């Protein structure tokens, strides 16, 4: 059966069915039209326009300064490129925490203004009523547990979560709560693999892991990390499939050298 809905893109029910069939879900971030076109054509199931764009695109030290305007701008560009993949917009810090009403308004903007099919937000029991409110308006929500980067200052850094039994139990409970609240999937970031396995077996909605082991129903990475484009910091869970930094630097150096030597443009490149 096709994973695509009437509009051509993968749907939330298709994502849920993939878990039932034991089919792994491949998710990647993208932030602009050119990259999203490549990611989509390569067969990724879900494109997340992550608030990680604050770090890898905008050069901030954390995701905290990212605004709704930043997110809408980039989500529009990605949604224009996606033909096959589901597009999820990440709700930035303080766009959903203050009130259910504001959360719903902001979630709605992703669907109304950008052609995304759903939103992602961070947190467990503390955002359950917000997830309920947004999903009851017909907006699919992906939850995010474990290391939730918008709480970096509360965690005291980007650290693995759930190593001790009490925190692990709370994350398992939160996974059940976000499922009950209506989330269609949940990202598990930087939790021990055994904990991610337990959660994956305990809930019916798919788990998408990042630094959470191989037993999650799917995996997600930041595209700039896995392509070797972001030099500032590489988390342990990132596999660099290529080092585009080197490839791009070499290409740009070659251009600079040719311009300086008067070798570019040559006959075939001008009129
Ligand atoms: O912002 C982001 O890119 C994310 C993923 C890493 C899950 O939240």
């Amino acid at each position: 059966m096709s994973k695509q809905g009437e509009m051509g893109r993968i749907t939330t029910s298709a994502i849920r069915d993939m878990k039932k069939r034991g089919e792994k879900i491949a998710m990647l971030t993208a932030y602009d039209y050119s990259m999203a076109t490549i990611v989509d054509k390569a067969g990724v199931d879900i494109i997340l326009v992550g608030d990680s764009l604050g770090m890898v695109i905008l050069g901030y030290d954390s995701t905290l300064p990212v605004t709704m305007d930043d997110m809408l701008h980039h989500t529009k560009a990605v949604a224009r490129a996606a033909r096959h993949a589901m597009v999820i917009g990440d709700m930035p810090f303080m766009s959903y925490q203050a009130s259910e009403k504001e959360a719903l308004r902001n979630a709605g903007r992703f669907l109304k203004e950008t052609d995304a099919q759903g939103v992602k937000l961070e947190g467990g029991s503390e955002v359950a009523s917000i997830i309920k409110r947004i999903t009851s308006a017909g907006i699919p929500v992906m939850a995010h547990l474990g290391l939730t980067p918008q709480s970096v200052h509360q965690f005291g850094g980007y650290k693995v979560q759930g190593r001790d039994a009490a925190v692990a139990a709370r994350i398992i409970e939160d996974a059940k709560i976000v499922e009950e609240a209506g989330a269609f999937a949940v990202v598990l970031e930087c939790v021990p693999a055994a904990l991610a396995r337990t959660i994956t077996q305990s809930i019916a909605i798919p788990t998408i892991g990042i630094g959470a082991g191989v037993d999650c129903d799917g995996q997600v990475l930041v595209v700039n990390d896995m392509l070797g484009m972001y030099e500032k910091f590489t988390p342990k869970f990132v596999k660099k499939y290529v080092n585009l930094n080197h490839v791009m630097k070499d290409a740009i150096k070659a251009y600079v050298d040719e311009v300086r030597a008067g070798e570019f443009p040559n006959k075939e490149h001008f009129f």
Side-chain angles (χ1 to χ4, degrees):
M1 198 179 67
S2 165
K3 289 192 278 187
Q4 271 124 316
E6 272 169 33
M7 287 162 70
R9 296 209 204 121
I10 291 180
T11 61
T12 50
S13 56
I15 294 295
R16 276 192 296 253
D17 288 349
M18 286 174 80
K19 172 165 181 144
K20 285 187 202 141
R21 290 195 297 268
E23 231 176 274
K24 294 277 190 185
I25 299 157
M27 171 161 136
L28 266 185
T29 68
Y31 315 99
D32 65 60
Y33 179 84
S34 300
M35 184 68 84
T37 302
I38 297 168
V39 168
D40 188 65
K41 284 188 175 162
V44 158
D45 300 303
I46 305 175
I47 303 179
L48 172 68
V49 188
D51 64 353
S52 50
L53 72 81
M55 296 165 93
V56 301
I57 302 296
L58 302 178
Y60 298 131
D61 286 334
S62 76
T63 59
L64 301 183
V66 175
T67 64
M68 273 301 293
D69 284 347
D70 293 331
M71 291 309 306
L72 294 172
H73 177 73
H74 287 272
T75 307
K76 279 179 199 170
V78 168
R80 276 181 215 122
R83 299 277 173 273
H84 155 89
M86 161 185 282
V87 176
I88 298 294
D90 210 0
M91 297 195 70
F93 182 55
M94 279 301 132
S95 67
Y96 58 95
Q97 291 92 338
S99 74
E100 285 174 30
K101 200 168 158 186
E102 205 174 316
L104 178 58
R105 281 240 160 78
N106 282 323
R109 291 191 69 191
F110 277 97
L111 270 70
K112 243 178 136 58
E113 297 176 34
T114 79
D115 202 23
Q117 290 146 281
V119 298
K120 179 174 82 58
L121 54 83
E122 299 181 6
S125 58
E126 72 281 14
V127 292
S129 63
I130 290 168
I131 295 176
K132 248 186 215 148
R133 187 86 173 90
I134 297 174
T135 54
S136 66
I139 301 170
V141 174
M142 177 179 281
H144 186 158
L145 297 172
L147 172 55
T148 45
Q150 291 174 13
S151 303
V152 60
H153 296 310
Q154 199 167 37
F155 294 142
Y158 297 103
K159 297 174 185 165
V160 175
Q161 301 295 310
R163 278 203 166 120
D164 76 82
V167 178
R170 204 198 62 227
I171 298 173
I172 295 171
E173 192 51 32
D174 275 343
K176 292 178 182 164
I177 288 171
V178 296
E179 175 180 32
E180 174 67 27
F184 76 94
V186 55
V187 169
L188 300 177
E189 177 162 353
C190 268
V191 300
L195 173 58
R197 188 185 323 120
T198 302
I199 294 170
T200 301
Q201 290 165 354
S202 315
I203 57 178
I205 59 172
T207 58
I208 314 285
I210 174 162
V214 76
D215 293 317
C216 293
D217 298 304
Q219 297 291 327
V220 58
L221 283 175
V222 168
V223 73
N224 296 54
D225 286 339
M226 58 87 76
L227 294 179
M229 294 171 73
Y230 184 67
E231 273 184 330
K232 210 163 164 185
F233 171 68
T234 305
K236 172 181 156 66
F237 55 74
V238 169
K239 175 173 175 181
K240 287 191 183 179
Y241 284 80
V242 61
N243 197 328
L244 279 193
N245 240 321
H246 291 171
V247 174
M248 292 193 292
K249 232 181 264 164
D250 286 350
I252 292 167
K253 264 193 201 142
Y255 164 77
V256 170
D257 290 347
E258 288 189 10
V259 169
R260 291 199 175 134
E263 290 167 2
F264 176 83
N266 65 17
K267 280 202 297 287
E268 72 212 73
H269 300 118
F270 56 75
F271 306 97

